[in-house]
Amino acid sequence: MSDPTASPTQPSIPVPEPPAPEPPLPAPSGRHAALSGVVAAAAALATGELVAALLPGAPSPVSAVGAAVIDLAPPGTKEVVVGLLGQWDKPVLQVLVAAVVLGAGALIGLAARRSDVPASVGIGALGIVGALAGLRQADAQSTLVVLSAILQGGVGMQTLLILRAWATPRGEPSASGASATDGVRRRFLARAGVVALASVGGFSIGRAILGARADGAAAVVSGGDGTTPGATGAPGTAHVIPQAVDPAASPSPDDAFALDGISPLVTPNEDFYQIDTALVTPAVNLDTWQLRIHGMVEREVTLTFDELVAMPLVERYVTIACVSNEVGGRLIGNARWTGVRLTDVLELAGVRDGATQIVPRSVDGWTAGFPTAWVTAPERERDALIAVAMNGEPLPARHGFPARLIVPGLYGYVSATKWLSDIELTTLEAFDAYWVPRGWAKEAPILTQSRIDTPREGASVPAGTVAIGGVAWAPDRGISRVEVALDDGPWQDAILAGAIGPQTWVQWKLAADLAVGRHTIRVRATDGTGTVQEDRFTPPDPDGARGHHAIAVNVI
Ligand SMILES: Nc1nc2c(c(=O)[nH]1)N[C@H]1C(S)=C(S)[C@@H](COP(=O)(O)O)O[C@H]1N2
Ligand SMILES: [Mo]
């Protein structure tokens, strides 16, 4: 029972010669103490992630803190961060949050070498920050958030105490003190390694479950391409997207060029850019999802998913773009959206006079806002959609399952609300949507832009005829002309592919004879109203990037 070799912490053999100087109370080395704190922090993070995965209503603390950072970041930060990191902004932010917690763990571990008090205070403070961030999340249930924080703190503290005991050298009977310490160190490192691995494993499993939950939610509905409606065998009620009464005509072969490197006319869902503030893709349960239309309306209306898709479904090809898209950037895509006309839903509720702003809100509390007149003006009336399908598939989770807004001609941040749950009619003066107080324009029509897709910037191309091509867009004004300038030469007309409609981008191409050497290629578009794309450069902030896309190529 008390085999001293198996239980080194309980020496049963008396130490014959205690060292002469009174030793300080045994304590782990600084390095081991810090490592204990880091591993304990990892265990706490894993606990938070696993609880979030198992209990909807207890948000992931890493995501919640990241979301709070995004929300509280000063205006202009998004611009800089998206510019630096592109679509990696959120993974990087989450890694940073985790790194800060692990760093705090190291300090707590050091502080806990001889007393439990500083560790309790540190862990308590981390728990409070995590809980406060969690409570800000739309899907948070306060009791669960608090219980989860307590559990994380408990796991963190216990892990720390256990590791500290493992790291603490005891008076082992040994001729050579050095080798006894070595034994403690090896055992400690091995055990700490196991706990660390278990924490990383638990964290990853939690993450995987959270991701799968969002994808699984999106799999509960089927149909949507207008041709193959059907029910699924998924548990719960099967939800079906019926055929569109007003399907979109398929693009004709003349609408797309067979040119290597040009953006496809229709962007596949898996290649579609993604921008949002949600650190974890909201997982919406279709059985309980509702869309509420309220505010300055005659009567408040609440629709279930089945009630929504029972309304006439239409299909539109619409190009959507992010205001953060730089000149030449890729935060833009074109898809076939199936959905209910926004105006049909507004009519159910009856928009009152004076309701000058439409404020859509997502399940996670994000808001957009745009003038009511933008969608009710006669020439636009048929086109703003509450979309439920994208390129013939139910909306993918990351693109807003189960329903999102698509408003032709407006940048995403003022309009294209994903995970839509609520539409409020109000006035333009009464409410500023999410990005407006953060310095972005209140009203944001998509600016006329054009992009060179091929050749790529800096490419080396063989001398002779070079095929240049790309896309141009001005939703919902359409594109009437695209011109290309080689070096400082005159503008030459590019050939335009057929346009699906004024709401989508258009491909363009030009064959140019280029001599050996370095050349610049520049493009500009003219919209359907005859207005030429501006050449004055502006940054995306506050209302979209202006200026011509130009690239340099080496002809060899
Ligand atoms: N709920 C929610 N919807 C949102 C956002 C968001 O942060 N949250 N971002 C908007 C922005 S800024 C853009 S550009 C588009 C991008 O849509 P996508 O990710 O499907 O391409 O979604 C919009 N809808
Ligand atoms: Mo955006």
Side-chain angles (χ1 to χ4, degrees), residues 178-226:
S179 72
T181 320
D182 276 355
V184 170
R185 187 193 306 148
R186 266 199 306 277
R187 257 195 313 274
F188 166 72
L189 288 178
R191 290 164 162 185
V194 170
V195 180
L197 274 181
S199 303
V200 171
F203 190 91
S204 315
I205 291 171
R207 271 285 128 133
I209 295 176
L210 286 170
R213 200 198 288 155
D215 293 342
V220 183
V221 67
S222 65
D225 66 0

Side-chain angles (χ1 to χ4, degrees), residues 159-531:
T159 310
L160 181 63
L161 294 180
I162 292 170
L163 286 168
R164 185 179 67 183
W166 285 345
T168 305
R170 303 290 161 125
E172 280 187 62
S174 161
S176 136
S179 72
T181 320
D182 276 355
V184 170
R185 187 193 306 148
R186 266 199 306 277
R187 257 195 313 274
F188 166 72
L189 288 178
R191 290 164 162 185
V194 170
V195 180
L197 274 181
S199 303
V200 171
F203 190 91
S204 315
I205 291 171
R207 271 285 128 133
I209 295 176
L210 286 170
R213 200 198 288 155
D215 293 342
V220 183
V221 67
S222 65
D225 66 0
T227 55
T228 57
T232 66
T237 328
H239 301 273
V240 180
I241 301 174
Q243 293 202 343
V245 295
D246 183 3
S250 299
S252 85
D254 298 341
D255 296 345
F257 294 132
L259 184 61
D260 267 355
I262 201 167
S263 302
L265 180 60
V266 179
T267 316
N269 289 358
E270 34 318 335
D271 300 339
F272 212 94
Y273 82 97
Q274 179 190 3
I275 291 284
D276 51 65
T277 59
L279 286 171
V280 170
T281 304
V284 175
N285 179 348
L286 258 201
D287 295 333
T288 53
W289 179 84
Q290 290 189 324
L291 174 62
R292 174 169 169 245
I293 300 94
H294 64 114
M296 295 175 66
V297 293
E298 300 300 339
R299 56 213 153 257
E300 198 171 308
V301 170
T302 303
L303 298 171
T304 64
F305 186 77
D306 294 337
E307 287 167 347
L308 177 70
V309 298
M311 297 177 68
L313 291 173
V314 303
E315 274 182 355
R316 299 280 180 262
Y317 284 92
V318 180
T319 296
I320 65 167
C322 184
V323 69
S324 296
N325 198 33
E326 304 275 354
V327 172
R330 310 228 139 229
L331 300 179
I332 176 165
N334 184 39
R336 174 164 54 96
W337 308 96
T338 310
V340 176
R341 285 191 193 100
L342 176 59
T343 46
D344 286 355
V345 170
L346 293 180
E347 258 166 44
L348 288 181
V351 175
R352 292 219 306 262
D353 285 349
T356 49
Q357 184 175 210
I358 297 176
V359 173
R361 188 180 304 268
S362 63
V363 297
D364 60 342
W366 186 86
T367 50
F370 53 89
T372 310
W374 187 272
V375 295
T376 55
E379 68 276 17
R380 295 193 165 107
E381 187 169 3
R382 295 167 55 80
D383 293 318
L385 296 185
I386 300 176
V388 293
M390 179 179 186
N391 292 327
E393 286 168 31
L395 276 186
R398 59 193 207 102
H399 294 296
F401 177 85
R404 74 173 304 171
L405 273 183
I406 293 294
V407 183
L410 295 182
Y411 281 121
Y413 81 101
V414 289
S415 66
T417 312
K418 304 191 276 188
W419 315 292
L420 181 68
S421 64
D422 180 308
I423 297 174
E424 181 178 352
L425 276 296
T426 178
T427 64
L428 285 164
E429 299 73 34
F431 184 78
D432 285 336
Y434 185 88
W435 284 114
V436 176
R438 292 168 173 81
W440 295 81
K442 172 106 182 179
E443 296 193 24
I446 299 178
L447 300 172
T448 303
Q449 265 296 348
S450 47
R451 184 176 76 195
I452 302 163
D453 288 336
T454 185
R456 289 295 184 126
E457 162 68 31
S460 295
V461 293
T465 305
V466 177
I468 307 169
V471 283
W473 61 91
D476 57 351
R477 304 173 294 282
I479 291 291
S480 58
R481 184 180 198 186
V482 172
E483 296 161 287
V484 174
L486 303 171
D487 301 316
D488 288 321
W491 289 107
Q492 313 176 34
D493 272 308
I495 301 170
L496 290 187
I500 298 180
Q503 296 98 348
T504 67
W505 64 13
V506 180
Q507 293 183 345
W508 60 266
K509 68 175 180 182
L510 181 75
D513 286 321
L514 292 178
V516 171
R518 194 170 167 83
H519 297 277
T520 60
I521 306 172
R522 177 180 292 273
V523 66
R524 74 174 183 192
T526 302
D527 76 8
T529 72
T531 309

